[in-house]
Amino acid sequence: MTAVKAGDVEALIRRGPDPRIAVLLLYGPDTGLVFERAKRLAEAFVSDPGDPFAMVKIDGDTLAQDAGRLVDEAGTVGLFGGNRTIWVRAGSRNYAPAVEAALKAEITQARIVVEAGDLAKTAPLRTLCEKSPKALAIPCYPDDERALGDLIERTLQEQGLRIAREARDVLATSLGGDRGASLSEIEKLALYARGQDTVSLDDVEAVVSDVAASVLNTLIDAAFSGRSADVERDYRRFRHEGMDPSVMLGSALRHALTLLSTRLAGEGQSASLMVGNWRGLHFRRKATVETQLARWTPPALRHAIQLLQEAVLACRRSPPDLAHANASSALLRIASEAARRR
């Protein structure tokens, strides 16, 4: 078996795969992470990634129509010699036969990097690469805190910057599970700190927004405001983008806890006064949250918190498809309860 464990991927990329490995398959729900890792592996194998003879990009649908194209490209000698990378971008059609043909061929000075989507265990492309001694199947799942820390330090080092430990820890907790959004925030921070040697905590607090929370505000507000149709629409979007269901539930749980603490602290006050005590609330959300504070009672919020806690636990114990079913069901139940309280 040549399936790589998720926790070993970054170390593998840093040291470089065995040069005898012909095919590197990258797959997973986080499309930004899949692309970023595929790019690093593709460019690391050639001396000049900008040379179109050394770096060849092919769409997966093209290979589905012509299975022999991949073998031909991998066997072609560059104009000036040297290594070549064949970077296969994800397609909508099955191009596993093209990869299978490449694994049967003798490939010496070429690396095939395959960028795929969220492949099931039984997907032909994944099983093919996991069983072949000439391929590596590399999973790309949403970043945990350790992976985010590595990403932060590596990205800033490329810009000639160091980051203070406290600043790195705060930044990691502010980033979400989407690699593309996280990179965007880190690069924005690097631009802000240009000309300095070290990124400080003040720099982080001045520049970086809470990505995980901000992108989920629409979903969370839809649930606690009773808009079930919007919950279904936003949930589908976030799932398609590779968002972990436990991340969505975690944001909903934090929101419910803040609603409860604000409601208890402002007992006897109007919702407009209570919302004024909500630290860090964006002004565009104040009217929506004010309505939620007026609609949800402390007992109802405690029930919602219990529901979300149980759903988070169920997600952690379930396979991805069932985890998503549990998460969407919990958010829709909250939306139904909020609608009933209008």
Side-chain angles (χ1 to χ4, degrees), residues 30-80:
D30 189 338
T31 55
L33 181 56
V34 170
F35 171 80
E36 190 257 345
R37 285 175 169 170
K39 183 174 184 291
R40 288 165 61 193
L41 287 166
E43 293 181 348
F45 192 68
V46 296
S47 57
D48 181 8
D51 180 356
F53 294 100
M55 176 73 73
V56 179
K57 298 179 181 179
I58 305 178
D59 187 79
D61 289 342
T62 300
L63 297 181
Q65 295 177 323
D66 182 4
R69 170 79 180 276
L70 188 58
V71 174
D72 291 341
E73 289 287 357
T76 300
V77 178
L79 186 63
F80 301 104

Side-chain angles (χ1 to χ4, degrees), residues 119-194:
L119 301 179
K121 289 184 179 180
T122 56
L125 191 58
R126 180 174 170 181
T127 55
L128 176 67
C129 291
E130 286 182 343
K131 292 178 180 179
S132 173
K134 296 170 66 176
L136 287 180
I138 302 173
C140 300
Y141 295 112
D143 292 317
D144 57 19
E145 190 171 342
R146 178 180 176 183
L148 281 172
D150 290 342
L151 175 67
I152 291 166
E153 292 190 348
R154 185 178 69 251
T155 306
L156 291 175
Q157 282 174 0
E158 291 171 356
Q159 301 292 329
L161 291 165
R162 298 189 301 272
I163 184 167
R165 181 174 180 178
E166 183 182 13
R168 183 200 64 193
D169 293 344
V170 170
L171 178 56
T173 59
S174 299
L175 299 176
D178 182 86
R179 175 60 70 98
S182 296
L183 275 172
S184 176
E185 291 295 302
I186 299 168
E187 289 166 358
K188 184 168 64 177
L189 177 63
L191 183 62
Y192 178 82
R194 181 174 292 175

Side-chain angles (χ1 to χ4, degrees), residues 185-206:
E185 291 295 302
I186 299 168
E187 289 166 358
K188 184 168 64 177
L189 177 63
L191 183 62
Y192 178 82
R194 181 174 292 175
Q196 303 174 191
D197 294 326
T198 303
V199 176
S200 68
L201 180 58
D202 288 342
D203 295 327
V204 171
E205 292 178 341

